Amino acid sequence: MTMTNVIPANAGRTDPGDAGPLSVGREELVPSRYAVRIGEIDVLVVSDGVLPLPTKMLGHNVDQAVRAAWLNDMFLPTEAFDWSLNAVVVRSGGQTILVDAGLGLDPNLNLPRAGQLVRRLEAVGIDLASVTDVVLTHMHMDHVGGLLVDGVKERLRSDLRIHVAAAEVRFWEAPDFTHVDMPQGFPDALRAAAERFAQEYRSQLRLFDEEHEVAPGVIVQRTGGHTPGHSVVRMASGGDRLTFAGDAVFTVGFEHPDWHNGFEHDPEEAARVRVRLLRELAATGEQLIATHLPFPSVGRVAIDGNAFRWVPAFWDY
């Protein structure tokens, strides 16, 4: 059964025949999922919520005034703003694949508007027991935390396969935070979440070195940079292509791919990875989804002088 059989293409949107947006719960006034078809592969973008963070995290290697000028041009606040948290569900060849698992719940960080993924999967009719595979772009807390929510592991299949780069698992055995620029409390929370995840799910990990085909037309590739094992997921079917880029690309990264993000453990390599990926995406014209681009984050990349331009897709509804 394909995702489109289970989830209509307009899932989460208001139909003209409906009573109207005021007839649904307040939280549903803003859609939390968006369906895309890549040939025979079904992709559903699901919002895990938003993560309020200091704007310095977008480019801690540039002058504050330069950063503020870009934010003003984008009509964004200059001190802090909300980062989207996007995950995707992919159905291909009879497999149901969750790519990244959201933030989960960490009361010590006071982030009540994130950690919504499990609830939103349930709302759209996706049973956790139907997930055959999980692909992790990396092991930061906002990508593995949903698997650590109380009761989730018990609802997952006992034969669940979790695909992650071997370099990522090795890194979190003794993580290096020398080059990051994170708010207070985040390094400890990231370290604790990665350690707990590795302990609880070690028997279900399926490690790969550089590239691995998870399902027909669904390939995970290690890029490094953001973390040593950071990976992207490439999907291709029937001439259509889409890349889920994880944290390789942030909102500012199109115009300023050399700006260092505060969560990057090797910011210079992360910038090189970003440029290579954006050049490739601009050349192929394939669709892009990324964790922290504004929901639903579906779009394409264009060359703009010496940098790039983000071209959001027109919503299909």
Side-chain angles (χ1 to χ4, degrees), residues 44-307:
L44 187 73
V45 188
V46 184
S47 170
D48 185 50
V50 294
L51 187 65
L53 287 169
T55 54
K56 182 183 179 184
M57 300 288 291
L58 285 176
H60 62 86
N61 61 323
V62 297
D63 186 84
Q64 180 180 355
V66 175
R67 196 167 56 243
W70 181 85
L71 290 160
N72 281 325
D73 286 345
M74 297 294 289
F75 296 93
L76 292 170
T78 57
E79 296 302 320
F81 78 114
D82 293 335
W83 293 26
S84 293
L85 294 172
N86 304 310
V88 298
V89 179
V90 179
R91 284 188 175 151
S92 176
Q95 293 170 242
T96 299
I97 305 154
L98 176 63
V99 182
D100 285 342
L103 181 72
L105 304 171
D106 191 327
N108 294 325
L109 292 178
N110 189 28
L111 301 169
R113 297 165 64 205
Q116 305 298 313
L117 182 64
V118 172
R119 181 175 65 83
R120 287 175 169 169
L121 289 175
E122 293 171 344
V124 81
I126 297 176
D127 187 348
L128 291 179
S130 71
V131 176
T132 60
D133 300 82
V134 173
V135 176
L136 298 176
T137 59
H138 58 299
M139 287 168 55
H140 273 163
M141 173 181 59
D142 54 326
H143 300 257
V144 303
L147 298 176
L148 302 177
V149 173
D150 288 346
V152 165
K153 186 176 182 181
E154 290 72 22
R155 295 165 59 190
L156 294 167
R157 300 162 60 113
S158 60
D159 61 349
L160 177 73
R161 299 174 292 261
I162 302 178
H163 308 273
V164 61
E168 187 71 4
V169 176
R170 287 195 300 269
F171 172 75
W172 288 102
E173 291 171 356
D176 179 6
F177 286 86
T178 305
H179 302 292
V180 302
D181 193 332
M182 302 177 184
Q184 185 176 2
F186 272 79
D188 289 342
L190 290 168
R191 186 183 292 107
E195 181 178 342
R196 183 182 163 200
F197 165 77
Q199 289 175 345
E200 292 197 15
Y201 287 97
R202 187 169 300 279
S203 65
Q204 290 165 288
L205 297 183
R206 301 295 181 268
L207 306 183
F208 65 92
D209 290 325
E210 299 299 327
E211 182 174 299
H212 173 65
E213 185 174 30
V214 178
V218 182
I219 294 174
V220 56
Q221 297 176 337
R222 188 180 76 86
T223 65
H226 186 76
T227 62
H230 181 277
S231 303
V232 300
V233 180
R234 318 301 293 263
M235 293 163 249
S237 175
D240 296 334
R241 295 177 61 176
L242 182 148
T243 291
F244 182 79
D247 285 12
V249 182
F250 296 83
T251 309
V252 74
F254 299 96
E255 292 180 58
H256 301 287
D258 58 332
W259 286 18
H260 295 170
N261 182 274
F263 283 99
E264 292 167 343
H265 293 262
D266 186 343
E268 292 185 358
E269 177 62 14
R272 288 189 287 268
V273 166
R274 185 159 40 250
V275 170
R276 285 197 300 267
L277 180 63
L278 291 174
R279 281 178 180 162
E280 180 184 352
L281 296 177
T284 64
E286 67 191 87
Q287 296 189 78
L288 167 67
I289 297 172
T291 305
H292 301 297
L293 295 182
F295 177 85
S297 86
V298 182
R300 290 182 167 85
V301 181
I303 298 291
D304 190 5
N306 294 323

Side-chain angles (χ1 to χ4, degrees), residues 1-12 33-35 42-44 46 89 91 121 124-126:
M1 180 176 291
T2 64
M3 185 176 296
T4 48
N5 295 131
V6 178
I7 305 164
N10 65 345
R33 62 258 187 182
Y34 186 81
D42 288 313
V43 180
L44 187 73
V46 184
V89 179
R91 284 188 175 151
L121 289 175
V124 81
I126 297 176

